[in-house]
């Protein structure tokens, strides 16, 4: 069953429990690694905003997509994520406000003027919020990089702000389409998905969360979960001896990194008792930054996003 529905933890309308789960994980992390305090403070600000935005979106009205199940199933069968190339109407005014608040949180949380400049560019309209959000939704790294550089803004930070603002929307759309597939063709297409990138938005997994031996890949953007039905590199499908899983810290076999000598990619893997509900996946990500360092020290990297070419608008 390669597509794995992720429990929302607690239902919308009851925000405290999700943020309580977050707080518990942050406190555990800080107890072990107090030096992460500034990173946790910033993440707390950002996730609180994202979680609130997620509730606003869930309580509002999602666009009704005219995407017939058979059409979506055919797309997946060709290896094309369902959102690629589709016109998805973004709630721009709501998300523009989120871009501003997220930039402020980043400015206060340590990014300083670099983030303030992004806020100013969005507010003044020198960077068009609608275009930025659309580029993020379609995972267009080149457009965002070019647009940011052209305006003297930090490209990675612009990418992050836009991704955070769009993520609750794309997560809600993904769940609306994927969680209760009524159509048999569509259900079976989801169950047959066996690629390393997200079936909804095409992003690579942020990491794999392993629950009871099940290696669930978790999308870095929309938080969807899926499994491969074989054990191989998520980027290039190498499953031979060039694909190695190692635990950099001998005492923590529950935290591993998969490295691939064929494509040079790496993926972090952590054992957990339950999948992280949206938007808590980024906590798993900062809990494991030492694994990124270990992999990068050995020359491995996370590849660029896949380009779905002609299917992209
Ligand atoms: Zn995704
Ligand atoms: Zn590989």
């Amino acid at each position: 069953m390669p597509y794995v529905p992720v429990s929302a933890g607690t239902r919308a309308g009851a925000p405290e429990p999700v943020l309580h789960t977050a707080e518990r994980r942050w406190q555990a992390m800080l107890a072990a690694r107090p030096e992460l305090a500034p990173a946790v403070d910033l993440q707390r600000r950002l996730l609180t905003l994202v979680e609130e935005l997620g509730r606003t979106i869930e309580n509002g009205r999602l666009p009704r997509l005219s995407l017939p199940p058979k059409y979506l199933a055919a797309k997946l069968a060709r290896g094309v994520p369902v959102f690629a190339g589709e016109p998805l109407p973004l709630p721009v005014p709501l998300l523009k406000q989120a871009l501003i608040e997220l930039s402020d949180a980043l400015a206060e949380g340590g990014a300083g003027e670099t983030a303030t400049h992004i806020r100013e560019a969005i507010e003044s309209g020198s960077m068009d919020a609608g275009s930025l959000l659309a580029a993020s939704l379609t995972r267009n790294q080149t457009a965002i990089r070019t647009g940011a550089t052209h305006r003297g803004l930090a490209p990675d930070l612009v990418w992050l702000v836009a991704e955070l603002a769009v993520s609750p929307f794309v997560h809600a759309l993904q769940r609306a389409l994927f969680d209760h597939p009524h159509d048999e063709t569509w259900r079976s297409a989801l169950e047959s998905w066996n690629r390393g990138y997200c079936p909804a938005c095409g992003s690579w997994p942020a990491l794999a969360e392993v629950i009871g031996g099940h290696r669930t890949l978790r999308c870095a953007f929309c938080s969807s979960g899926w499994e491969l039905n074989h054990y191989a590199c998520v980027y290039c499908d190498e499953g031979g001896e060039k694909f190695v899983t190692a635990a950099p810290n001998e005492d923590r076999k529950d935290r591993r990194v998969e490295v691939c000598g064929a494509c040079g990619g790496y993926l972090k893997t952590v054992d957990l008792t339950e999948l992280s509900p949206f938007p808590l996946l980024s906590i798993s990500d900062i809990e494991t930054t030492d694994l990124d360092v270990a992999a990068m020290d050995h020359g491995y990297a996370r590849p660029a996003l896949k380009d779905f070419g002609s299917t992209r608008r």
Side-chain angles (χ1 to χ4, degrees):
M1 226 225 38
Y3 173 69
V4 182
V6 180
S7 155
T10 44
R11 285 312 305 148
E16 294 83 359
V18 168
L19 291 178
H20 280 183
T21 309
E23 199 54 51
R24 206 170 49 248
R25 290 182 62 180
W26 283 321
Q27 294 307 331
M29 199 188 330
L30 289 173
R33 298 170 65 198
E35 74 279 8
L36 287 176
V40 167
D41 284 345
L42 175 58
Q43 191 171 59
R44 187 184 285 116
R45 285 168 193 256
L46 297 175
L47 289 199
T48 303
L49 289 169
V50 170
E51 198 272 343
E52 267 172 29
L53 180 60
R55 265 183 298 133
T56 308
I57 287 170
E58 284 204 29
N59 294 334
R61 203 182 309 158
L62 275 178
R64 201 166 310 168
L65 304 175
S66 49
L67 300 172
K70 285 190 173 46
Y71 165 76
L72 293 183
K75 242 177 134 169
L76 283 191
R78 283 184 285 125
V80 180
V82 300
F83 294 152
E86 303 300 339
L88 303 172
L90 283 154
V92 174
L94 177 69
L95 301 191
K96 180 178 178 182
Q97 186 55 34
L99 290 171
I100 291 169
E101 289 171 14
L102 289 160
S103 302
D104 282 346
L106 280 161
E108 289 162 21
E113 282 194 352
T114 321
T116 309
H117 291 152
I118 296 174
R119 180 210 164 107
E120 288 164 356
I122 292 162
E123 271 195 319
S124 70
S126 102
M127 185 163 58
D128 180 63
S131 310
L132 172 60
L133 295 162
S136 177
L137 182 64
T138 55
R139 316 276 62 210
N140 193 339
Q141 279 178 317
T142 312
I144 291 188
R145 181 159 292 277
T146 310
T149 310
H150 182 67
R151 293 169 181 82
L153 303 170
D156 292 342
L157 208 55
V158 173
W159 174 264
L160 173 67
V161 170
E163 186 168 74
L164 287 168
V166 179
S167 64
F169 174 75
V170 76
H171 170 70
L173 278 187
Q174 177 262 314
R175 292 195 56 155
L177 278 178
F178 282 47
D179 271 10
H180 305 286
H182 298 298
D183 180 276
E184 194 42 50
T185 316
W186 174 224
R187 192 195 335 264
S188 107
L190 274 179
E191 287 180 4
S192 310
W193 182 256
N194 193 36
R195 314 254 180 174
Y197 49 91
C198 173
C201 74
S203 302
W204 293 119
L207 39 70
E209 294 186 325
V210 181
I211 318 292
H214 284 270
R215 168 188 180 243
T216 302
L217 304 173
R218 297 299 309 275
C219 176
F221 187 35
C222 75
S223 272
S224 74
W226 73 103
E227 277 182 64
L228 301 187
N229 53 25
H230 59 299
Y231 199 66
C233 172
V234 296
Y235 308 114
C236 76
D237 212 30
E238 167 72 32
E241 56 190 31
K242 286 184 176 161
F243 176 65
V244 177
T245 303
N249 181 340
E250 278 283 299
D251 301 327
R252 293 294 307 270
K253 294 272 198 305
D254 58 320
R255 305 157 85 258
R256 300 169 298 278
V257 60
E258 298 174 358
V259 297
C260 177
C263 70
Y266 77 91
L267 181 75
K268 300 184 289 184
T269 301
V270 285
D271 290 344
L272 290 174
T273 51
E274 57 177 4
L275 296 174
S276 302
F278 181 83
L280 306 194
L281 188 59
S282 53
I283 300 180
S284 291
D285 207 14
I286 67 162
E287 273 167 349
T288 52
T289 44
D290 54 314
L291 297 179
D292 292 289
V293 173
M296 289 190 279
D297 278 352
H298 287 84
Y300 296 98
R302 285 170 54 77
L305 286 166
K306 241 177 137 57
D307 188 348
F308 295 94
S310 58
T311 60
R312 171 169 288 154
R313 283 194 309 154

